[in-house]
Each structure stands twice: as structure tokens, then as C-alpha cells.
């Protein structure tokens, strides 16, 4: 799940692996209705990860399902064994860009 400040009502559910990482992940977006922002309320984000399928949810709503068939030709499915989960709370970077004097911080 990726949420960037310039899209306060949007989350991106992305799979990154060999041949589908960086700027070209397998991804889908979920938008809150009516211009709502994720920061304005509590939301439940979930990922169901099985050896041959990964599903992304927001507040109980399924918004993406990915399987090996969804990958670019020749790209390996690497989600069929245990991984470590990394939580990255980052500011700036190539996407969405570096913060500047107008960037709000809590």
C-alpha cells in the first residue's frame, strides 16, 4: 500500500519483483469516494498473500487481485515463499518528489 501526499484520497497496491519494480510495478489504485482523504479517518488496509495469488483491500473492499498470469512475459512470480515485511514511512524520493518549503509535516 502506497499513499502519497499529492493524492490524499488514493492508495496504490503494488507488487514489486524482478522485471516489475521501480516505476513499473504490478499496481492498482483505490480512491475514497467524494473527495475524502485517508488522513481524515481510520482505515483498514489488508493484503491476503497466498502462494499463487495476492489480494489488496481497503476497509474490506477488494480492489486488486494479482496472480502469476498478470506478470510481464518472462517475469518470475516471487511471492510463493516466506518474506520479511518492510514498513517504509518515507518522505520524498523519485515518486512523488523531494519535499520543499511548502511540504506539510506533522
Amino acid at each position: 500500500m502506497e499513499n502519497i501526499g499529492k493524492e490524499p484520497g488514493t492508495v496504490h497496491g503494488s507488487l514489486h519483483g524482478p522485471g516489475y519494480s521501480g516505476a513499473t510495478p504490478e499496481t492498482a489504485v483505490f480512491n475514497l469516494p467524494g473527495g475524502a482523504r485517508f488522513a481524515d479517518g481510520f482505515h483498514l488496509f489488508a493484503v491476503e498473500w497466498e502462494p499463487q495469488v495476492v489480494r489488496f483491500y481497503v476497509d474490506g473492499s477488494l480492489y486488486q487481485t494479482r496472480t502469476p498470469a498478470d506478470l510481464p512475459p518472462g517475469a518470475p512470480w516471487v511471492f510463493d515463499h516466506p518474506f520479511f515485511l518492510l514498513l517504509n514511512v518515507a518522505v520524498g524520493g523519485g515518486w512523488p518528489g523531494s519535499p520543499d518549503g511548502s511540504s506539510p509535516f506533522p
Side-chain angles (χ1 to χ4, degrees):
M1 188 285 293
E2 299 171 293
N3 174 250
I4 59 175
K6 69 180 181 180
E7 299 175 336
T10 301
V11 292
H12 301 258
S14 303
L15 293 179
H16 296 269
Y20 49 103
S21 61
T24 59
E26 290 298 313
T27 192
V29 298
F30 178 92
N31 293 297
L32 287 173
R37 301 173 345 150
F38 278 99
D40 291 339
F42 179 84
H43 297 278
L44 181 64
F45 302 95
V47 176
E48 292 179 344
W49 178 2
E50 300 176 40
Q52 296 296 308
V53 64
V54 178
R55 297 177 200 89
F56 291 81
Y57 298 83
V58 173
D59 296 333
S61 295
L62 174 67
Y63 72 96
Q64 174 176 213
T65 300
R66 296 291 180 172
T67 69
D70 297 312
L71 300 182
W77 179 260
V78 295
F79 303 101
D80 56 358
H81 61 276
F83 277 82
F84 288 99
L85 178 65
L86 300 175
L87 300 178
N88 180 6
V89 182
V91 175
W95 181 65
S98 298
D100 60 23
S102 67
S103 300
F105 288 94

